[in-house]
PDB file of all heavy atoms in Angstrom:
ATOM      1  N   ARG A 566       1.914  15.199 -16.839  1.00  0.00           N
ATOM      2  CA  ARG A 566       1.254  16.286 -16.124  1.00  0.00           C
ATOM      3  C   ARG A 566      -0.242  16.016 -15.966  1.00  0.00           C
ATOM      4  O   ARG A 566      -0.958  16.834 -15.397  1.00  0.00           O
ATOM      5  CB  ARG A 566       1.456  17.604 -16.857  1.00  0.00           C
ATOM      6  CG  ARG A 566       0.822  17.673 -18.233  1.00  0.00           C
ATOM      7  CD  ARG A 566       1.106  19.009 -18.886  1.00  0.00           C
ATOM      8  NE  ARG A 566       0.501  20.092 -18.141  1.00  0.00           N
ATOM      9  CZ  ARG A 566       0.914  21.370 -18.202  1.00  0.00           C
ATOM     10  NH1 ARG A 566       1.941  21.695 -18.960  1.00  0.00           N
ATOM     11  NH2 ARG A 566       0.298  22.313 -17.512  1.00  0.00           N
ATOM     12  N   MET A 567      -0.694  14.885 -16.482  1.00  0.00           N
ATOM     13  CA  MET A 567      -2.120  14.578 -16.456  1.00  0.00           C
ATOM     14  C   MET A 567      -2.500  13.944 -15.122  1.00  0.00           C
ATOM     15  O   MET A 567      -2.067  12.826 -14.808  1.00  0.00           O
ATOM     16  CB  MET A 567      -2.469  13.638 -17.601  1.00  0.00           C
ATOM     17  CG  MET A 567      -2.075  14.161 -18.963  1.00  0.00           C
ATOM     18  SD  MET A 567      -2.906  15.701 -19.370  1.00  0.00           S
ATOM     19  CE  MET A 567      -4.598  15.119 -19.522  1.00  0.00           C
ATOM     20  N   HIS A 568      -3.353  14.622 -14.363  1.00  0.00           N
ATOM     21  CA  HIS A 568      -3.670  14.110 -13.026  1.00  0.00           C
ATOM     22  C   HIS A 568      -4.379  12.758 -13.081  1.00  0.00           C
ATOM     23  O   HIS A 568      -4.293  11.970 -12.140  1.00  0.00           O
ATOM     24  CB  HIS A 568      -4.479  15.124 -12.229  1.00  0.00           C
ATOM     25  CG  HIS A 568      -5.866  15.366 -12.717  1.00  0.00           C
ATOM     26  ND1 HIS A 568      -6.925  14.572 -12.367  1.00  0.00           N
ATOM     27  CD2 HIS A 568      -6.370  16.321 -13.531  1.00  0.00           C
ATOM     28  CE1 HIS A 568      -8.022  15.033 -12.947  1.00  0.00           C
ATOM     29  NE2 HIS A 568      -7.708  16.081 -13.653  1.00  0.00           N
ATOM     30  N   GLU A 569      -5.053  12.486 -14.223  1.00  0.00           N
ATOM     31  CA  GLU A 569      -5.754  11.198 -14.347  1.00  0.00           C
ATOM     32  C   GLU A 569      -4.788  10.023 -14.357  1.00  0.00           C
ATOM     33  O   GLU A 569      -5.192   8.884 -14.114  1.00  0.00           O
ATOM     34  CB  GLU A 569      -6.583  11.164 -15.637  1.00  0.00           C
ATOM     35  CG  GLU A 569      -7.675  12.204 -15.719  1.00  0.00           C
ATOM     36  CD  GLU A 569      -7.216  13.514 -16.312  1.00  0.00           C
ATOM     37  OE1 GLU A 569      -5.983  13.725 -16.441  1.00  0.00           O
ATOM     38  OE2 GLU A 569      -8.073  14.348 -16.638  1.00  0.00           O
ATOM     39  N   GLN A 570      -3.534  10.278 -14.649  1.00  0.00           N
ATOM     40  CA  GLN A 570      -2.544   9.210 -14.722  1.00  0.00           C
ATOM     41  C   GLN A 570      -1.744   9.047 -13.436  1.00  0.00           C
ATOM     42  O   GLN A 570      -0.786   8.277 -13.403  1.00  0.00           O
ATOM     43  CB  GLN A 570      -1.608   9.464 -15.909  1.00  0.00           C
ATOM     44  CG  GLN A 570      -2.348   9.419 -17.251  1.00  0.00           C
ATOM     45  CD  GLN A 570      -1.427   9.584 -18.428  1.00  0.00           C
ATOM     46  OE1 GLN A 570      -0.262   9.227 -18.367  1.00  0.00           O
ATOM     47  NE2 GLN A 570      -1.945  10.148 -19.504  1.00  0.00           N
ATOM     48  N   TYR A 571      -2.145   9.744 -12.414  1.00  0.00           N
ATOM     49  CA  TYR A 571      -1.499   9.586 -11.119  1.00  0.00           C
ATOM     50  C   TYR A 571      -2.341   8.622 -10.287  1.00  0.00           C
ATOM     51  O   TYR A 571      -3.539   8.824 -10.103  1.00  0.00           O
ATOM     52  CB  TYR A 571      -1.323  10.933 -10.429  1.00  0.00           C
ATOM     53  CG  TYR A 571      -0.141  11.689 -10.987  1.00  0.00           C
ATOM     54  CD1 TYR A 571      -0.223  12.325 -12.218  1.00  0.00           C
ATOM     55  CD2 TYR A 571       1.061  11.735 -10.307  1.00  0.00           C
ATOM     56  CE1 TYR A 571       0.865  12.987 -12.758  1.00  0.00           C
ATOM     57  CE2 TYR A 571       2.161  12.406 -10.817  1.00  0.00           C
ATOM     58  CZ  TYR A 571       2.054  13.028 -12.048  1.00  0.00           C
ATOM     59  OH  TYR A 571       3.137  13.689 -12.565  1.00  0.00           O
ATOM     60  N   ASN A 572      -1.671   7.581  -9.795  1.00  0.00           N
ATOM     61  CA  ASN A 572      -2.381   6.487  -9.134  1.00  0.00           C
ATOM     62  C   ASN A 572      -2.553   6.705  -7.632  1.00  0.00           C
ATOM     63  O   ASN A 572      -3.496   6.192  -7.036  1.00  0.00           O
ATOM     64  CB  ASN A 572      -1.609   5.177  -9.329  1.00  0.00           C
ATOM     65  CG  ASN A 572      -1.232   4.944 -10.774  1.00  0.00           C
ATOM     66  OD1 ASN A 572      -0.125   5.251 -11.198  1.00  0.00           O
ATOM     67  ND2 ASN A 572      -2.161   4.412 -11.531  1.00  0.00           N
ATOM     68  N   TYR A 573      -1.611   7.413  -7.035  1.00  0.00           N
ATOM     69  CA  TYR A 573      -1.603   7.556  -5.589  1.00  0.00           C
ATOM     70  C   TYR A 573      -1.567   9.041  -5.236  1.00  0.00           C
ATOM     71  O   TYR A 573      -0.825   9.808  -5.850  1.00  0.00           O
ATOM     72  CB  TYR A 573      -0.396   6.830  -4.985  1.00  0.00           C
ATOM     73  CG  TYR A 573      -0.314   5.382  -5.376  1.00  0.00           C
ATOM     74  CD1 TYR A 573       0.564   4.957  -6.374  1.00  0.00           C
ATOM     75  CD2 TYR A 573      -1.142   4.441  -4.781  1.00  0.00           C
ATOM     76  CE1 TYR A 573       0.619   3.632  -6.757  1.00  0.00           C
ATOM     77  CE2 TYR A 573      -1.083   3.112  -5.152  1.00  0.00           C
ATOM     78  CZ  TYR A 573      -0.202   2.706  -6.143  1.00  0.00           C
ATOM     79  OH  TYR A 573      -0.156   1.396  -6.516  1.00  0.00           O
ATOM     80  N   TRP A 574      -2.330   9.391  -4.209  1.00  0.00           N
ATOM     81  CA  TRP A 574      -2.474  10.787  -3.816  1.00  0.00           C
ATOM     82  C   TRP A 574      -2.343  10.936  -2.314  1.00  0.00           C
ATOM     83  O   TRP A 574      -2.772  10.067  -1.550  1.00  0.00           O
ATOM     84  CB  TRP A 574      -3.848  11.318  -4.245  1.00  0.00           C
ATOM     85  CG  TRP A 574      -3.990  11.435  -5.719  1.00  0.00           C
ATOM     86  CD1 TRP A 574      -4.313  10.440  -6.606  1.00  0.00           C
ATOM     87  CD2 TRP A 574      -3.791  12.617  -6.488  1.00  0.00           C
ATOM     88  NE1 TRP A 574      -4.320  10.944  -7.889  1.00  0.00           N
ATOM     89  CE2 TRP A 574      -4.014  12.273  -7.846  1.00  0.00           C
ATOM     90  CE3 TRP A 574      -3.452  13.933  -6.185  1.00  0.00           C
ATOM     91  CZ2 TRP A 574      -3.913  13.198  -8.888  1.00  0.00           C
ATOM     92  CZ3 TRP A 574      -3.347  14.855  -7.207  1.00  0.00           C
ATOM     93  CH2 TRP A 574      -3.572  14.490  -8.541  1.00  0.00           C
ATOM     94  N   GLY A 575      -1.781  12.065  -1.909  1.00  0.00           N
ATOM     95  CA  GLY A 575      -1.786  12.416  -0.503  1.00  0.00           C
ATOM     96  C   GLY A 575      -3.110  13.075  -0.126  1.00  0.00           C
ATOM     97  O   GLY A 575      -3.988  13.253  -0.966  1.00  0.00           O
ATOM     98  N   GLN A 576      -3.208  13.459   1.126  1.00  0.00           N
ATOM     99  CA  GLN A 576      -4.458  14.014   1.643  1.00  0.00           C
ATOM    100  C   GLN A 576      -4.565  15.519   1.386  1.00  0.00           C
ATOM    101  O   GLN A 576      -5.644  16.088   1.521  1.00  0.00           O
ATOM    102  CB  GLN A 576      -4.573  13.739   3.155  1.00  0.00           C
ATOM    103  CG  GLN A 576      -3.809  14.706   4.047  1.00  0.00           C
ATOM    104  CD  GLN A 576      -2.300  14.536   4.025  1.00  0.00           C
ATOM    105  OE1 GLN A 576      -1.771  13.578   3.424  1.00  0.00           O
ATOM    106  NE2 GLN A 576      -1.593  15.444   4.663  1.00  0.00           N
ATOM    107  N   GLY A 577      -3.470  16.152   1.019  1.00  0.00           N
ATOM    108  CA  GLY A 577      -3.487  17.575   0.721  1.00  0.00           C
ATOM    109  C   GLY A 577      -3.073  18.426   1.904  1.00  0.00           C
ATOM    110  O   GLY A 577      -3.246  18.035   3.065  1.00  0.00           O
ATOM    111  N   THR A 578      -2.517  19.595   1.596  1.00  0.00           N
ATOM    112  CA  THR A 578      -2.142  20.556   2.625  1.00  0.00           C
ATOM    113  C   THR A 578      -2.529  21.955   2.139  1.00  0.00           C
ATOM    114  O   THR A 578      -2.312  22.294   0.976  1.00  0.00           O
ATOM    115  CB  THR A 578      -0.641  20.474   2.956  1.00  0.00           C
ATOM    116  OG1 THR A 578      -0.329  21.344   4.039  1.00  0.00           O
ATOM    117  CG2 THR A 578       0.250  20.818   1.768  1.00  0.00           C
ATOM    118  N   GLN A 579      -3.137  22.731   3.014  1.00  0.00           N
ATOM    119  CA  GLN A 579      -3.664  24.042   2.637  1.00  0.00           C
ATOM    120  C   GLN A 579      -2.546  25.076   2.615  1.00  0.00           C
ATOM    121  O   GLN A 579      -1.765  25.203   3.562  1.00  0.00           O
ATOM    122  CB  GLN A 579      -4.744  24.475   3.620  1.00  0.00           C
ATOM    123  CG  GLN A 579      -5.302  25.868   3.369  1.00  0.00           C
ATOM    124  CD  GLN A 579      -6.161  25.926   2.130  1.00  0.00           C
ATOM    125  OE1 GLN A 579      -7.020  25.075   1.902  1.00  0.00           O
ATOM    126  NE2 GLN A 579      -5.953  26.956   1.300  1.00  0.00           N
TER     127      GLN A 579
END
Side-chain angles (χ1 to χ4, degrees):
R566 64 181 296 158
M567 304 299 293
H568 68 84
E569 298 89 347
Q570 296 183 29
Y571 281 76
N572 311 96
Y573 305 101
W574 292 82
Q576 81 287 353
T578 185
Q579 176 71 46

